[in-house]
Amino acid sequence: MAKTKSAMRRKETMYGYIFVMPWIIGFLAFTAGPLLFSLFASFTNYNITSQMDFVGTENYQGLFTEDGLFWTSLWNTLYYVLFSVPLTTIGAIFLSALLNQDVPGIRVFRTLYYLPAVLSGVGVYLLWMQLLDPGTGMINLVLGWLGIDGPNWLFDPAWTKPSLIFMKLWSVGGAMLLYLASMQGVSKTLYEAAEIDGANTFRKFFHITLPMITPVIFFDVVTSLIGGFQIFQEAYVMSSNGEGGPANSLLFYNLYMWRQAFENFNMGYAMAMSWILFIIVFILTMINLKLAPRWVHYEGGDNR
């Protein structure tokens, strides 16, 4: 009997490995393999075509000690992440709270606010380039009606990154939908108990709604943080010739890495940049995970 059970377990294990084998092959071929190759290539002078000589830490030393554009691109990316992540998170929560009302036509408003999240990226960027045009753009036109002299937006180094952050706020519909679903999942009995205790709308929001949706806030912050460090398309499409101008104010980290890899064919150098970015994002994600138990609350009181 024991031998029969043992044979059945081995048979089930074999079938299990057969079923997961396509995923394992895909992971090794398209994820783990390229990942290890990029790590090795970051210590070489790999240029895609002929060179791949081992140069040790020369690429990393050059980034930190000789390449001023590396620090410029890193600063631009940190600036974008520092402002876009909190603002988009707060904006999505505020918008979802407004749309979490039982009023006539609310579904129409929910659909309208969600639509920007499903529009094509490049098409949206071209649209915003027209809206932000300092001479003929609609935004400066409206500001002019209010007696405000609009800035040069994408043509002024001081306003280029705020322009992209402003554009990012327009497309918070995806996060808004997550928060809206989370808010609608909060137990009504909690609000009823708070009303009996005399809590007003603001107290119910800050002491019930916000704590109960903190798992979704945590998820949104982590994914937005990772996505913010990967910003590329916006700068490539909206800056002059995709160079990150004016005055390198839109030279984000991924754009500079792309230029090193596919314009200068300095692939080893670009792979060193990719691993530095991986380490930065990994450290920030681990910090978020470490701090999460202090402010993320799950139903039932388990903060883990």
Side-chain angles (χ1 to χ4, degrees):
M1 191 69 172
K3 292 183 179 180
T4 303
K5 290 183 177 180
S6 178
M8 290 179 62
R9 289 197 188 98
R10 287 197 299 269
K11 190 175 182 179
E12 290 177 354
T13 302
M14 180 185 68
Y15 283 138
Y17 280 119
I18 291 174
F19 281 117
V20 300
M21 189 58 65
W23 181 90
I24 294 175
I25 294 174
F27 174 78
L28 293 175
F30 301 109
T31 302
L35 193 68
L36 294 175
F37 175 79
S38 69
L39 179 61
F40 171 75
S42 68
F43 295 98
T44 69
N45 61 354
Y46 181 44
N47 70 349
I48 302 180
T49 57
S50 58
Q51 290 183 344
M52 197 172 184
D53 302 319
F54 186 79
V55 296
T57 60
E58 183 178 312
N59 290 329
Y60 294 92
Q61 292 176 357
L63 284 169
F64 287 106
T65 61
E66 300 174 7
D67 193 349
L69 290 179
F70 164 77
W71 293 106
T72 300
S73 65
L74 185 59
W75 161 247
N76 288 338
T77 307
L78 288 173
Y79 180 102
Y80 177 80
V81 171
L82 182 63
F83 287 98
S84 68
V85 173
L87 289 176
T88 53
T89 302
I90 294 172
I93 294 173
F94 176 73
L95 187 59
S96 61
L98 291 179
L99 297 176
N100 190 30
Q101 308 297 323
D102 188 13
V103 297
I106 193 65
R107 293 183 179 180
V108 176
F109 287 101
R110 291 171 181 170
T111 303
L112 291 175
Y113 280 107
Y114 179 69
L115 279 178
V118 299
L119 296 178
S120 172
V122 174
V124 169
Y125 307 148
L126 295 176
L127 171 64
W128 274 93
M129 289 176 68
Q130 295 181 8
L131 293 174
L132 293 170
D133 187 280
T136 60
M138 181 62 69
I139 294 178
N140 275 8
L141 181 62
V142 174
L143 291 176
W145 293 345
L146 301 175
I148 301 174
D149 188 14
N152 287 327
W153 298 111
L154 296 174
F155 298 93
D156 185 349
W159 281 96
T160 50
K161 288 186 285 292
S163 299
L164 266 60
I165 295 170
F166 180 51
M167 182 183 70
K168 184 69 175 178
L169 287 171
W170 180 70
S171 59
V172 297
M176 175 273 295
L177 198 63
L178 290 175
Y179 288 123
L180 181 60
S182 180
M183 288 180 182
Q184 293 185 345
V186 178
S187 176
K188 303 297 182 183
T189 57
L190 297 175
Y191 295 112
E192 293 171 357
E195 289 176 358
I196 294 173
D197 291 337
N200 57 26
T201 302
F202 290 100
R203 286 185 176 273
K204 286 189 290 184
F205 178 77
F206 286 103
H207 294 282
I208 296 177
T209 305
L210 274 183
M212 294 303 294
I213 66 171
T214 48
V216 179
I217 296 175
F218 173 68
F219 169 80
D220 184 39
V221 168
V222 172
T223 54
S224 297
L225 185 73
I226 296 172
F229 274 99
Q230 294 176 341
I231 180 174
F232 169 77
Q233 282 187 343
E234 296 89 330
Y236 183 74
V237 174
M238 301 178 73
S239 63
S240 178
N241 297 321
E243 297 294 325
N248 292 322
S249 59
L250 288 181
L251 184 65
F252 292 112
Y253 196 92
N254 272 13
L255 178 58
Y256 184 50
M257 183 167 57
W258 184 89
R259 287 174 55 187
Q260 287 290 343
F262 299 106
E263 289 184 2
N264 301 332
F265 296 103
N266 197 353
M267 188 64 74
Y269 197 76
M271 289 183 178
M273 290 185 64
S274 70
W275 275 95
I276 292 173
L277 181 62
F278 169 79
I279 293 172
I280 293 173
V281 173
F282 179 80
I283 292 174
L284 292 177
T285 304
M286 289 299 104
I287 291 174
N288 277 322
L289 291 172
K290 188 69 175 179
L291 296 177
R294 300 186 180 182
W295 64 277
V296 180
H297 307 282
Y298 295 94
E299 196 168 356
D302 189 0
N303 286 17
R304 293 176 295 175

